[in-house]
Amino acid sequence: MSISINNLKVEFSAKCLFDNISYIINRKDKIALVGKNGAGKSTMLKIIAGLQKPTSGSVATPHDTTIGYLPQHMTISDTATVIEEVRTAFSHIHEMHARLDRMSNELASRTDYESTEYQDLIESMTALTDRIAMEESENCEAEMEKTLMGLGFVREDFNRPTSEFSGGWRMRIELAKLLLTRPDVLLLDEPTNHLDIESIQWLENFLTTKANAVVLVSHDRAFIDNVTNRTIEISIGKIYDYSVNYSKYVVLRQERLEQQMRAFQNQQKMIKETEDFIERFRYKATKSVQVQSRIKQLAKIDRIEVDEVDTSHLNLKFPPAPRSGDYPVIADNVGKAYGLHQVFDNATFTIKRGEKVAFVGKNGEGKSTLVKCIMGEIPFTGNLKIGHNVKIGYFAQNQAQLLDEEISVFDTIDRVAVGDIRTKIRDILGAFMFGGEASDKKVKVLSGGEKTRLAMIRLLLEPVNLLILDEPTNHLDMKTKDILKNAIKEFDGTVIVVSHDREFLDGLVEKVYEFGGGKVKECLGGIYEFLEKKKLASLSELERSTTPTEQPSAKKSEQKPSDGPNTQTQTRKLSYAEQREHEKIVRKAKKKMDEAESEVSRLEQEVADIESIISTGSFPSDIYDRHAATTKQLENAMSLWELATLEYEEINSTK
């Protein structure tokens, strides 16, 4: 299996996005598409997926190759539960059954038993039957459950309607469907934007161990380093292909540019010396032979060209902050609940003027919810005071999606700008790399990163002294992330950042608020000081500290002992009964885990035996089919064992 991209060219209006691009995607390639925002990364994925046509050139895809594509933004049906929506990933099995039925009917109606077409039809039916058998051998329900839990869902979520989930969680549902189809090529456009760190690590593991070819666009440096083994840079209409991960590519690219520049300079020096010799002795008869020789030599030189380097960059600086009161945000026993679900409670903290703080924690623990409370967008319990003369600049997670896609970049800003700032709109747009004709583009043709930059301009339209940034780095390329980080560091007002990007938070914040278990805890110091104090190696460890194991103990501590003499005895009897029941459940879970482990061992031995037969060179004709089917059964058994192990550990850890 390989996909061939041949002489690809894409033009938008008068601008050439790609020109004469060619490369091959091989079976086990893990490719990172990198480049600045607007370079054409998402466009490239759409062309490979067949959703967009190039101006010229072609994408050659084998007819039996399946492609799975995850866009940055999508619309998911609201008519089903989570598990029902994910179950549609296996609809292809029903389609294969329908094809098999059509083939059977055709075979029954034909009488040309000796023809080549008849034999081809029989072979196609046999291959399709084997394919159906392999697909149905895997435990679909177990795979769905494991994938959903890996992406952060809990079992209680499975039967909830998809309409109850936010856009980020809907993205996870779509990602789960995509991963379950196990396509030959996965095209992922910013898959980590709506994932917490624990889910990102699960996805990393899945892509490296179970996925076939992967082509991904991501601005999460750690993620692409861990997943990819090949980097393709798109820059000014060209591509540069490196068979290494991103970190090594950065080094090699710099070396290539330096070597190229040295070779160019040496060649230019030699050309100048030759031209000087020709000019000096052109009219001297005694040197005519040497002159003609040098002219011919000069004509034969293959001129070295230095790759054009994209030097455009974002010029971002927040306006000076008007002076606010000493304490922009004071929270006293703030809480928020949705029905019976208590998101957080008793949040008490004070943010001083000029402080830069981070909200960290697992998705769904209330980071964005507390931001909405501060903004006054939703009701809450407790007291939340916004200080004197506080002017808030708010950048929401979905800020880019709220833009009107039918108007131009200039009109987007012109409609919200008021006062003297209107005279500086062109300058501001130029600083954000929307200069010249780019300001006349429709919003709908912008990339995800360009939309994020456009949405961020709103923060510059009037001076603020409290910046609240909810996942501001989503869709931003690495260079722009660094520029934004420096701009926030230089901002003289107060900043609240909600982010799971450890690299972005490092050196930026001086205080961390940890969300988890329905509580908000304050930790002084930067992100690494926070991790050290928590004795965590990374933020992923924080996010693994989920609340189910903490909540029971919290509830126990809240229970006050009664004064009656029998209280202690009653508690002891209840604990004993619960303990017996718990031990029974643990034994059952362990038995299930042991049986799954035994099945894995048996199938591993069977695969080893088959491979031993193949190595002899003398084997039956169906040996490869047996190997494929057994390997598929082994993958399924591994999935069941992982699921059983997870269940056992969860039950065994519950006291």
Side-chain angles (χ1 to χ4, degrees):
M1 187 285 305
S2 63
I3 295 177
S4 180
I5 289 85
N6 306 307
N7 303 317
L8 209 66
K9 183 176 183 179
V10 176
E11 290 180 336
F12 288 121
S13 302
K15 183 185 176 184
C16 184
L17 197 59
F18 310 131
D19 190 18
N20 197 29
I21 301 292
S22 297
Y23 61 95
I24 292 174
I25 302 171
N26 300 305
R27 180 172 180 80
K28 286 295 181 181
D29 277 347
K30 305 291 192 294
I31 301 172
L33 275 184
V34 301
K36 58 171 286 188
N37 290 139
K41 302 184 295 293
S42 296
T43 302
M44 180 69 76
L45 292 185
K46 289 175 184 176
I47 291 172
I48 298 171
L51 301 176
Q52 187 171 323
K53 297 290 184 184
T55 306
S56 63
S58 63
V59 177
T61 306
H63 73 280
D64 58 343
T65 299
T66 55
I67 296 177
Y69 172 57
L70 180 77
Q72 286 189 29
H73 308 290
M74 65 185 64
T75 304
I76 297 175
S77 169
D78 284 337
T79 59
T81 63
V82 171
I83 199 71
E84 288 169 347
E85 184 68 26
V86 173
R87 200 172 278 128
T88 61
F90 300 100
S91 59
H92 63 287
I93 298 177
H94 302 296
E95 293 171 3
M96 286 192 291
H97 276 291
R99 275 168 51 205
L100 187 63
D101 291 340
R102 289 195 296 271
M103 287 181 180
S104 297
N105 294 333
E106 185 182 347
L107 194 68
S109 64
R110 297 182 67 152
T111 56
D112 53 336
Y113 307 117
E114 303 299 324
S115 68
T116 306
E117 290 82 3
Y118 191 86
Q119 296 302 317
D120 290 344
L121 184 60
I122 291 177
E123 288 177 8
S124 297
M125 283 185 65
T126 304
L128 186 57
T129 303
D130 292 343
R131 178 89 182 265
I132 290 172
M134 287 179 64
E135 292 281 354
E136 290 183 339
S137 69
E138 95 175 15
N139 190 325
C140 299
E141 294 296 321
E143 282 293 312
M144 285 191 294
E145 188 169 345
K146 190 177 72 167
T147 303
L148 285 170
M149 291 179 72
L151 290 173
F153 292 91
V154 295
R155 289 187 179 89
E156 289 76 14
D157 293 332
F158 293 177
N159 293 313
R160 289 174 59 191
T162 58
S163 57
E164 294 183 5
F165 292 88
S166 65
W169 285 96
R170 294 186 182 200
M171 179 70 80
R172 297 188 190 208
I173 295 170
E174 198 64 21
L175 180 58
K177 288 163 58 180
L178 192 61
L179 298 179
L180 286 166
T181 60
R182 300 284 177 90
D184 296 315
V185 183
L186 267 173
L187 307 176
L188 306 176
D189 198 350
E190 299 285 4
T192 64
N193 274 354
H194 302 286
L195 300 181
D196 53 44
I197 296 177
E198 186 179 3
S199 299
I200 290 173
Q201 289 189 322
W202 180 90
L203 181 59
E204 283 178 4
N205 183 62
F206 182 94
L207 295 177
T208 51
T209 60
K210 294 187 177 182
N212 296 311
V214 178
V215 183
L216 65 89
V217 174
S218 177
H219 299 128
D220 187 325
R221 188 172 303 180
F223 178 71
I224 59 176
D225 263 346
N226 293 336
V227 171
T228 62
N229 53 25
R230 183 178 168 193
T231 304
I232 295 179
E233 178 194 9
I234 303 175
S235 180
I236 317 181
K238 300 178 183 177
I239 67 162
Y240 302 93
D241 197 342
Y242 296 82
S243 298
V244 294
N245 67 9
Y246 182 82
S247 292
K248 292 177 181 175
Y249 142 77
V250 172
V251 177
L252 292 176
R253 179 176 181 270
Q254 187 60 35
E255 289 177 357
R256 173 178 64 81
L257 291 173
E258 289 173 359
Q259 290 171 0
Q260 198 178 62
M261 182 56 68
R262 284 196 297 270
F264 173 77
Q265 289 171 347
N266 291 335
Q267 189 184 66
Q268 289 299 304
K269 183 181 177 184
M270 187 270 290
I271 290 171
K272 189 175 186 309
E273 289 173 354
T274 305
E275 288 174 341
D276 289 346
F277 181 90
I278 294 169
E279 191 64 32
R280 191 181 306 125
F281 300 109
R282 183 185 293 274
Y283 304 107
K284 289 191 176 183
T286 56
K287 298 283 188 180
S288 63
V289 175
Q290 291 102 314
V291 168
Q292 290 301 316
S293 175
R294 298 292 176 93
I295 291 172
K296 290 178 181 177
Q297 181 186 351
L298 207 58
K300 291 179 181 179
I301 288 178
D302 187 11
R303 304 275 176 141
I304 296 171
E305 292 183 359
V306 178
D307 292 331
E308 189 178 359
V309 178
D310 192 351
T311 56
S312 63
H313 67 278
L314 179 66
N315 181 17
L316 174 58
K317 187 176 182 180
F318 291 104
R323 186 175 177 84
S324 69
D326 291 340
Y327 303 101
V329 181
I330 301 174
D332 183 23
N333 291 321
V334 177
K336 178 61 185 176
Y338 291 102
L340 297 175
H341 176 57
Q342 189 74 40
V343 183
F344 59 85
D345 198 17
N346 298 321
T348 300
F349 59 88
T350 301
I351 298 176
K352 297 178 183 177
R353 184 180 65 240
E355 282 187 332
K356 295 175 176 61
V357 306
F359 289 177
V360 302
K362 191 177 178 68
N363 282 358
E365 293 290 351
K367 303 185 296 294
S368 297
T369 303
L370 182 53
V371 166
K372 290 178 181 177
C373 294
I374 295 172
M375 293 293 300
E377 294 182 356
I378 56 174
F380 54 88
T381 58
N383 296 311
L384 186 57
K385 184 181 177 183
I386 304 301
H388 172 69
N389 197 37
V390 170
K391 298 182 183 326
I392 300 177
Y394 177 43
F395 184 89
Q397 273 192 51
N398 62 339
Q399 199 78 45
Q401 299 174 33
L402 301 176
L403 299 172
D404 186 345
E405 295 200 334
E406 297 303 321
I407 63 175
S408 70
V409 169
F410 181 86
D411 289 337
T412 300
I413 303 306
D414 188 50
R415 291 185 181 185
V416 294
V418 293
D420 294 340
I421 199 73
R422 297 195 64 186
T423 62
K424 301 178 181 178
I425 290 177
R426 291 286 182 188
D427 295 336
I428 293 173
L429 289 173
F432 277 74
M433 294 186 288
F434 289 117
E437 294 179 356
S439 64
D440 298 324
K441 284 183 178 177
K442 290 284 185 71
V443 173
K444 63 183 178 184
V445 304
L446 300 180
S447 69
E450 288 173 323
K451 288 179 180 177
T452 299
R453 290 208 310 266
L454 183 60
M456 199 164 285
I457 294 176
R458 295 171 180 251
L459 294 178
L460 303 182
L461 294 180
E462 62 177 293
V464 299
N465 48 31
L466 174 58
L467 276 177
I468 303 178
L469 308 174
D470 195 353
E471 300 291 358
T473 61
N474 283 358
H475 308 293
L476 291 182
D477 60 51
M478 294 173 200
K479 186 190 292 185
T480 306
K481 276 168 57 174
D482 291 340
I483 292 167
L484 174 61
K485 180 176 175 177
N486 290 329
I488 296 171
K489 287 169 74 172
E490 293 174 5
F491 178 60
D492 55 356
T494 311
V495 182
I496 298 173
V497 184
V498 180
S499 179
H500 61 256
D501 192 329
R502 184 176 61 184
E503 186 182 6
F504 181 74
L505 294 176
D506 181 32
L508 178 62
V509 299
E510 58 214 46
K511 190 187 291 183
V512 175
Y513 290 97
E514 175 195 354
F515 288 68
K519 304 296 178 185
V520 181
K521 300 175 185 175
E522 181 181 278
C523 181
L524 298 178
I527 201 70
Y528 282 104
E529 288 87 351
F530 164 71
L531 295 174
E532 187 177 347
K533 289 175 184 176
K534 295 288 293 183
K535 296 181 180 180
L536 305 174
S538 66
L539 278 177
S540 62
E541 297 299 325
L542 163 66
E543 297 188 11
R544 283 199 185 96
S545 304
T546 53
T547 59
T549 57
E550 299 174 0
Q551 286 175 343
S553 60
K555 288 178 180 177
K556 288 177 184 177
S557 65
E558 290 172 1
Q559 291 174 354
K560 295 181 180 179
S562 301
D563 295 331
N566 297 325
T567 301
Q568 198 173 5
T569 307
Q570 288 171 355
T571 304
R572 190 179 297 115
K573 286 181 179 178
L574 182 61
S575 298
Y576 178 75
E578 287 179 339
Q579 186 68 23
R580 290 290 300 271
E581 183 63 27
H582 179 70
E583 288 173 357
K584 183 179 177 182
I585 295 170
V586 170
R587 284 197 300 272
K588 188 176 178 181
K590 189 174 187 307
K591 183 182 178 183
K592 184 179 177 181
M593 182 182 68
D594 292 341
E595 288 175 351
E597 190 173 357
S598 299
E599 180 66 7
V600 168
S601 301
R602 185 187 70 78
L603 288 167
E604 284 178 337
Q605 186 58 50
E606 191 172 336
V607 170
D609 293 342
I610 294 172
E611 289 175 350
S612 178
I613 295 169
I614 293 173
S615 65
T616 63
S618 177
F619 45 79
S621 58
D622 66 338
I623 191 71
Y624 289 111
D625 292 337
R626 283 169 53 195
H627 184 269
T630 309
T631 303
K632 194 75 173 178
Q633 290 174 9
L634 176 59
E635 287 181 6
N636 179 45
M638 285 289 291
S639 299
L640 289 173
W641 173 74
E642 289 173 7
L643 197 60
T645 304
L646 182 65
E647 288 178 359
Y648 172 72
E649 289 174 350
E650 284 182 356
I651 293 169
N652 200 36
S653 64
T654 306
K655 303 291 184 184

